[in-house]
Structures are given as C-alpha cells and as structure tokens.
Amino acid sequence: MLLFLDIIPYITIFIFGITIGSFLNVCIYRIPLGESIATAPSHCMTCGRKLKWYDMVPVFSWLLLGGKCRNCKAKISVQYLIIEGVNGILYVVICVVNGLEWSSVIYCFMASALLVLSIIDWRTFEIPFCLNVFLFVLGVAAVILDRGNVVDHLIGMICISGLLEVLYLVSGGRAIGGGDIKLMFACGLILGWKRIILAFLLGCVIGSVIHTVRIKVSKVGHMLAMGPYLSAGIFLAALWGNTWISWYLSKLGL
Ligand SMILES: [Zn+2]
C-alpha cells in the first residue's frame, strides 16, 4: 500500500507528460509549416475530420483505435504514440533523478522543447527560432530559481555559443548552424557554464559516433543535423552533469 502511494505522484507526472506529449506532436507538424499551434483544431491529416476529445486521449486513443482514423481508417503515424510515451517517460525520469523540485519543472519543459526541436532539425536541418526563445525563457526562470549563481549561468550562456559563433564566422556558416548557436546560448543560461561545456562535449561525441555509423550503414549524406545530438548532451548534463563533474574533479584531486 505504501509503495502504491509512493508511485501516485509519478503516475500523475506520467499522465501530465503524455498530455504535453500530444501537444508536442501538434508542434512537430505545424511549426515547420508555419501554422498556428494554438488556434486550428486538431483534425485527421487524411480526411480532415475534426477530432473529438476521446480521440485525443494521449497514448490510449492511439492504442484503442489501433493507429487508425475513426472515420476514414487512414493510418495515424506511430510517431504520435512514441512522442507521447517518450515525453511521459522523460518527465518521470527527470522527477526521479532530480527530485520533486522546481528545477524539475524547468527540466521537463526543456526536455519537451529539445524533443520537438530534435525531430524538426532531423527532418529539416533547421531549429525553429521560437523553440530557442522558449528555452531562453526557461533559462531566465532557472536564473531566478538559482539567484546565488547568476554569474555561472551568464557565463554558461556565452561560453559555448561564443565559441560556436567564432566557428560560424570563420567557416562562413558551413561548420555550424545559427540555430545550434542559439540553442547553446539558451541552454547555457539554464545549465550554467560547467554543465553546458559537458553537454557540448557529450553532444559532439554522441553525434560523431552515431553519424559515422549512419554514413557506414545507410550511406546518408554528410550533412549533419547537430540539434538532436546537442539535445541529448544537454539532457544528460542537466540530470547527471553535476554528479559526473564532481566525480571527475575528485579524480583530479580538486
Ligand atoms: Zn481520417
């Protein structure tokens, strides 16, 4: 019984996560098309039928309908289910690892924005500006929560993004995208300088490993969307960065 009571908050967090997840699906489709994410009601992509509330229950509706539109039986991409489920799981992981803290709220919204921008960047090689603005607003909130370390956050904002900006100018925009720079600017403000440097290193390592494998296996082009890899690095650094950094410093005897 005690165990059950203990997991109730996490079930609630999961349900909240999958609900936000279904909004993320709307963002993933509409932001690249320049459509409004707030006004137009959700509809079937094939027959245009407006969806009822019971068709929009995250995860469960997709499973109950067997991944098909209730009206025209057109297939509904499994991506809906995956994004909702993944977002729910990410929220639970964040709250378990980071605790039920205010900073977890910031990390949850950050993880959702990273999820959306990763998929959009993967498909279009473009990180939408509005998502970086959203992350920057989260950064301001992170600074307000962590008022004692304002300087850490401000250095975090410019240390990696400044380096990338130099790279951008030197390479004439070929080595790195402007969206990646803004991403590191905004998330540097959220994480502070130590963790954004770690995030960047992790992103580069994960990116080079996966991209090398992809080139070998599927002969994808050499064009590399950095957003998903940087996002993975940012997520890992947000949750485990402080632990890993202090472990590393203790090994150095610092
Ligand atoms: Zn339909």
Side-chain angles (χ1 to χ4, degrees), residues 6-21 58 84-101 104-105 108 112:
D6 285 343
I7 63 170
I8 285 180
Y10 298 102
I11 293 173
T12 314
I13 289 161
F14 181 75
I15 292 171
F16 180 65
I18 59 178
T19 309
I20 297 289
E84 288 163 358
V86 165
N87 199 62
I89 292 166
L90 288 178
Y91 281 21
V92 172
V93 169
I94 288 166
C95 292
V96 168
V97 174
N98 194 58
L100 299 172
E101 306 279 343
S104 293
V105 177
C108 284
S112 291

Side-chain angles (χ1 to χ4, degrees), residues 44 46-47 69 71-72:
C44 168
T46 309
C47 68
C69 168
N71 187 37
C72 70

Side-chain angles (χ1 to χ4, degrees), residues 74-155:
K75 271 196 139 181
I76 304 168
S77 167
V78 71
Q79 182 200 295
Y80 286 96
L81 179 71
I82 294 172
I83 297 290
E84 288 163 358
V86 165
N87 199 62
I89 292 166
L90 288 178
Y91 281 21
V92 172
V93 169
I94 288 166
C95 292
V96 168
V97 174
N98 194 58
L100 299 172
E101 306 279 343
W102 278 109
S103 56
S104 293
V105 177
I106 292 177
Y107 294 161
C108 284
F109 285 125
M110 181 186 81
S112 291
L114 294 174
L115 190 58
V116 172
L117 76 82
S118 293
I119 291 167
I120 294 178
D121 191 28
W122 182 269
R123 288 180 180 162
T124 68
F125 296 101
E126 199 87 49
I127 296 177
F129 183 63
C130 58
L131 289 169
N132 279 330
V133 172
F134 177 71
L135 286 166
F136 181 76
V137 172
L138 291 179
V140 173
V143 172
I144 293 169
L145 277 182
D146 190 23
R147 281 181 295 273
N149 299 305
V150 174
V151 177
D152 273 16
H153 290 273
L154 292 178
I155 297 172

